[in-house]
Amino acid sequence: MRSAFFRALSALAERDERVQLIVGDLGFGVVESFAARFPDRFLNAGVAEQNMTAIAAGLALSGKIVFTYSIANFPILRCLEQVRNDVCYHKANVKIVAVGGGLSYGSLGMTHHATEDLAILRALPEMVVVAPGDPREVEAATHALAEHNGPCYLRLGRVGEPDIHREGFTFHLGKAIEVRLGEDLTLISTGGLLETAIKAAEMLSLRGLHTRVLSMHTVKPLDSAAVLSAARDTGAVFTLEEHSITGGLGGAVAEVLAESGEARVLFRRFGLPPSFSATVGDQEYLRMKYGLSADSIADSIESAMERSHMLYRKAGN
Amino acid sequence: VPGNTLAGFANKTELRCPGMQMSYTSVEDAELFARRIRTTSLRMIHRAKSSHAGSALSMAELLAVLYGKILRVDPARPDWPERDRFILSKGHACAALYAVLAQRGFFPMEWLETFYQNGGALPGHVTHSGIPGVEVSTGALGHGLGIACGMALAGKRDGRAYRVVALLSDGECDEGSTWEAALFAPHHRLDNLIAIVDYNKIQSLGTVREVLDLEPLAAKWEAFGWTVREIEGHDCKQIESALEILPLVQGKPTCIVAHTIKGKGVSFMENKLLWHYRTPNQEEMAQALAELGEAQ
C-alpha cells in the first residue's frame, strides 16, 4: 500500500503545484524519490509531529494541498489537538497519512499498534476517514482525497498487500464497494483485512452460506445506504477491522443499524479486544491470536448464524 | 457605568481612534490607540463578566503599533493574498484583538457588544470563523507559532513578500510545541516570521518565575537561532523601532521579547494574578476608565 500511495502522490504533484508532502522524519527508502523530484514541495519537519501538523495547517491556509506522513499513531495521536484545532476547525486542506495501520508493526510493540485511530479520528468534525483495502484502493483514495477540499485521514497498511480489485475499478469516497455477491449474510471489511474477508466468504460459501463482501474503505462518512441494504437483503451483518472493537467500523455500522429499525438483523463485530496487546508477534501471528484469520472468522460467523437460526426456530417462526 | 450598557459601545466615533483607519502619524496617536484598546477591552470584559483583563491590557501597545503602523492589512480585503498575517497565539486575550479589528474597520463596532454573549459573534477565545481579519483560531496554547511557521514557509515558497507575526504569551513558552516551532523557523531561514512574546511575567497560577522559570528567555530564543530584541512592551516608540524594518537580520526569524506588565494601565490590576480571572465590578470599572482618562 505504501508504494501505491507514493505512486499516486507523485502523479498528483506532477499535475498540481499545490501538492506538498511533510514527513515526520520517517519514510526511509520511500520518500527520497518524491523529495528529489519535488524538492521545494517536500519537507522533513523532524521528530516534531505537533509542529508538522501546525505547519501543514499554515501551508494549507495559504492555499496548499498538504499531505503529512508518518507511521502508526505518530501523525495523529501525538498531535491530536493540532489535528482537531489547527486542521479540522479551520477546514484546512490537510491529508494525514499513517502507514502501519492496525497491527502492521506488530512485533514493534504496543506503541506502534495503531488500533484506536479510526474511532478517534471518526469523532473529529470535518474529518474524512479512509482505510483502503488494497493497493488499488490506496491509489484511487489518494486521488480522491486530494480532490476533497478539507481534512482527511488515510490509514495505510504496510507493504506487499496483494491487489484485490481489477484495474479500472470504480472508487468513490463514501461509497462501499461490493467485491462479492451473496444473499445469506454480509461481511463488511475496512483496511487491510479485505483479503481475509474474501477468503472467509469463500469458505462460508462452500458451507452453503453465500456471503456478500463490502469493502468499506471510507469509515467516515459511512455509506449507511450500503449497510442498510445489506441488512435488508441478507439479514445478517458482520464487520471486520484490524482495530479495537470500540468505536471503529463496527461501532459506526452498529450506530446505523441500531437507529434503522432493522431489529431482526443479526450483527457481530470482528476486531481487536479493547485492551493493549502484550503478546510479541508479527501481524499475521497477532491476527491469528485475536481471531482475525479467515478460518476463525468463517467459523465464528457459521456458529453465529446457526445459533441465530436455532433461536429463530425456537421463537416459533 | 458606560461599559455595562449598549450605549458604551454605540458611540462609535468616540471609540474609533482618529487616523486609525490608515496609519498613525505620531507616538501620541499610538498611545491614544492603545488607551482605546484598553477601555474597549475592559468594557467588553465587564459587560461579558469574562476573564483575562490583565492579559488583554498587557498587549495594548503591541497591538496598537502593529495595527496602527506595521501590519500591511486592508480591512476592505481581509483575504488579500499579499497581506501580512497576524496570529494571536494567546487566544484568551482576544478582547483586545477584537477591539482593534473593529476599530480598524474589519467588522462593525456593534459586534463587540456580542462578545461572550449567547448567540453572539465573538467567543472568549479568538476564532476565525465568520470574523474578518482573524487569520487563525487559538485558545489552546502553543499552537500559534507552528501555524505561523507554515504560513511563513508558504510565503517563501510562493515568493510572496508578506510577513507573519505571532504574538505569544509567556505562559505558552512552557509548551513543547512552541519550542518545536522555535527550532524549525531558523533552520528554514524564515526571516519573514516574527514572534513577539508578551512577557508580562504572570501566568495562570502564579508568576512565571514560580511556576516554570523561563529565564534566560531572550538567550533561549537566541540559542535556537533567532535574532532577538528585548524591548519595553509599553513604549510605542521602542515597539515601532523594533518592528519598523524587518527582518532584523536577513535569513533569520525575529523574536521580540516585550517586557510588559500584566493589567497595565489600571493601577489595581497591574501585576496582579487575580486579574487573569476577575471581572471588574461597577466601581472598579468606573475607576479603571477614570484612570485611563475616559469620561464616564
Side-chain angles (χ1 to χ4, degrees):
Chain A
M1 290 197 195
R2 204 175 54 182
S3 23
F5 166 70
F6 278 101
R7 200 161 51 239
L9 186 70
S10 292
L12 279 169
E14 192 68 59
R15 64 165 191 262
D16 192 333
E17 288 206 337
R18 296 170 301 164
V19 172
Q20 316 243 336
L21 172 67
I22 313 182
V23 302
D25 203 31
L26 285 167
F28 182 74
V30 286
V31 300
E32 292 83 354
S33 70
F34 184 97
R37 255 177 96 186
F38 309 101
D40 52 350
R41 288 189 273 152
F42 172 78
L43 178 69
N44 182 354
V47 191
E49 293 81 8
Q50 296 181 74
N51 199 44
M52 169 174 82
T53 308
I55 284 169
L59 283 168
L61 293 175
S62 312
K64 313 295 182 198
I65 302 172
V66 190
F67 287 78
T68 60
Y69 176 91
S70 187
I71 71 173
N73 297 309
F74 306 155
I76 47 169
L77 295 194
R78 180 54 174 262
C79 46
L80 186 58
E81 197 178 67
Q82 277 79 10
V83 174
R84 178 182 182 268
N85 297 5
D86 304 353
V87 174
C88 291
Y89 186 47
H90 293 85
K91 300 181 188 174
N93 208 356
V94 174
K95 323 297 170 187
I96 302 166
V97 183
V99 70
L103 300 168
S104 305
Y105 291 115
S107 318
L108 296 188
M110 164 273 168
T111 52
H112 286 56
H113 297 168
T115 48
E116 305 86 37
D117 55 334
L118 300 178
I120 292 165
L121 279 272
R122 193 167 79 82
L124 296 180
E126 305 293 339
M127 183 62 83
V128 168
V129 179
V130 180
D134 81 335
R136 292 208 159 122
E137 281 190 15
V138 170
E139 201 154 353
T142 305
H143 286 277
L145 295 185
E147 277 184 18
H148 173 83
N149 185 13
C152 301
Y153 171 58
L154 180 65
R155 180 208 230 211
L156 303 177
R158 206 175 168 186
V159 282
E161 294 94 339
D163 284 333
I164 308 272
H165 301 285
R166 54 183 164 56
E167 227 172 312
F169 77 110
T170 310
F171 180 97
H172 294 293
L173 267 188
K175 286 272 167 261
I177 303 173
E178 192 174 54
V179 288
R180 203 173 182 287
L181 302 175
E183 61 281 353
D184 295 329
L185 67 113
T186 305
L187 184 51
I188 306 178
S189 161
T190 197
L193 282 171
L194 181 58
E195 186 192 12
T196 308
I198 292 169
K199 278 189 188 153
E202 282 162 359
M203 291 173 186
L204 287 163
S205 292
L206 293 175
R207 304 177 203 175
L209 289 167
H210 300 289
T211 304
R212 177 184 298 184
V213 176
L214 297 181
S215 176
M216 193 65 85
H217 46 74
T218 309
V219 176
K220 185 193 166 197
L222 189 75
D223 186 351
S224 31
V227 171
L228 290 175
S229 31
R232 283 187 205 117
D233 300 349
T234 68
V237 173
F238 299 85
T239 56
L240 179 58
E241 63 198 308
E242 200 165 301
H243 183 273
S244 163
I245 208 74
T246 306
L249 173 71
V253 169
E255 288 162 15
V256 171
L257 291 176
E259 289 185 337
S260 70
E262 300 284 339
R264 300 267 293 264
V265 67
L266 171 65
F267 175 65
R268 293 281 186 284
R269 296 166 297 162
F270 295 106
L272 302 167
S275 53
F276 294 115
S277 172
T279 309
V280 180
D282 63 16
Q283 187 174 29
E284 205 186 325
Y285 183 89
L286 292 176
R287 280 180 178 179
M288 294 275 278
K289 179 186 167 180
Y290 292 114
L292 297 180
S293 66
D295 283 323
S296 165
I297 289 159
D299 290 349
S300 301
I301 289 179
E302 191 180 16
S303 60
M305 295 288 287
E306 274 169 8
R307 267 201 315 278
S308 135
H309 282 296
M310 271 163 54
L311 291 172
Y312 189 65
R313 278 197 296 274
K314 257 192 201 161
N317 289 289
Chain B
V1 174
N4 202 28
T5 61
L6 291 178
F9 293 97
N11 190 348
K12 280 172 271 175
T13 46
E14 189 198 327
L15 286 168
R16 190 165 287 144
C17 208
M20 280 309 110
Q21 288 307 100
M22 303 299 285
S23 66
Y24 59 75
T25 47
S26 69
V27 171
E28 289 71 33
D29 276 351
E31 285 163 358
L32 178 60
F33 191 14
R35 251 200 331 276
R36 294 292 189 211
I37 294 169
R38 290 202 164 88
T39 54
T40 309
S41 306
L42 284 173
R43 284 193 157 112
M44 291 165 68
I45 288 165
H46 175 60
R47 181 177 154 75
K49 298 188 174 60
S50 64
S51 305
H52 305 127
S55 320
L57 296 183
S58 71
M59 62 179 194
E61 281 81 10
L62 292 168
L63 287 184
V65 175
L66 281 166
Y67 276 90
K69 190 88 173 189
I70 305 297
L71 294 174
R72 296 184 290 232
V73 290
D74 181 358
R77 290 180 299 162
D79 296 332
W80 175 41
E82 299 296 339
R83 73 193 182 280
D84 287 338
R85 274 73 167 165
F86 175 76
I87 296 177
L88 182 65
S89 194
K90 43 175 287 189
H92 55 283
C94 60
L97 179 62
Y98 295 148
V100 168
L101 291 175
Q103 293 187 30
R104 281 295 317 263
F106 280 92
F107 52 80
M109 292 294 288
E110 286 79 2
W111 287 21
L112 300 180
E113 297 165 25
T114 75
F115 178 56
Y116 249 78
Q117 306 300 314
N118 294 334
L122 308 176
H125 285 86
V126 71
T127 192
H128 71 290
S129 181
I131 306 176
V134 176
E135 297 285 346
V136 164
S137 301
T138 62
L141 295 174
H143 286 245
L145 193 58
I147 301 175
C149 281
M151 290 179 165
L153 184 66
K156 288 280 176 199
R157 286 182 168 180
D158 293 344
R160 291 191 190 275
Y162 66 74
R163 291 92 46 94
V164 185
V165 178
L167 179 53
L168 281 64
S169 69
D170 43 23
E172 69 178 324
C173 291
D174 294 356
E175 295 278 7
S177 53
T178 295
W179 296 104
E180 287 183 11
L183 204 51
F184 180 90
H187 181 87
H188 291 278
R189 304 172 59 84
L190 299 180
D191 60 6
N192 52 350
L193 176 66
I194 301 95
I196 303 175
V197 183
D198 178 4
Y199 197 9
N200 63 31
K201 321 285 190 303
I202 295 179
Q203 56 188 100
S204 195
L205 282 186
T207 64
V208 170
R209 184 160 289 178
E210 289 162 349
V211 176
L212 197 54
D213 198 2
L214 292 171
E215 282 302 321
L217 183 59
K220 285 187 175 71
W221 287 93
E222 237 155 39
F224 274 62
W226 295 62
T227 307
V228 182
R229 184 170 294 178
E230 289 189 78
I231 60 168
E232 290 302 322
H234 300 300
D235 181 335
C236 290
K237 216 184 253 175
Q238 277 197 38
I239 300 170
E240 190 180 321
S241 84
L243 296 174
E244 213 167 19
I245 298 161
L246 291 168
L248 293 180
V249 172
Q250 290 289 334
K252 291 172 81 172
T254 299
C255 175
I256 306 291
V257 175
H259 293 276
T260 56
I261 292 168
K262 192 138 182 161
K264 171 74 177 176
V266 178
S267 59
F268 57 90
M269 293 184 180
E270 288 191 0
N271 285 318
K272 295 282 193 304
L273 173 66
L274 179 68
W275 292 96
H276 192 76
Y277 303 99
R278 192 178 149 84
T279 301
N281 62 28
Q282 303 254 328
E283 294 70 38
E284 289 161 340
M285 256 318 270
Q287 191 189 332
L289 291 176
E291 286 186 20
L292 291 165
E294 190 143 308
Q296 288 177 51

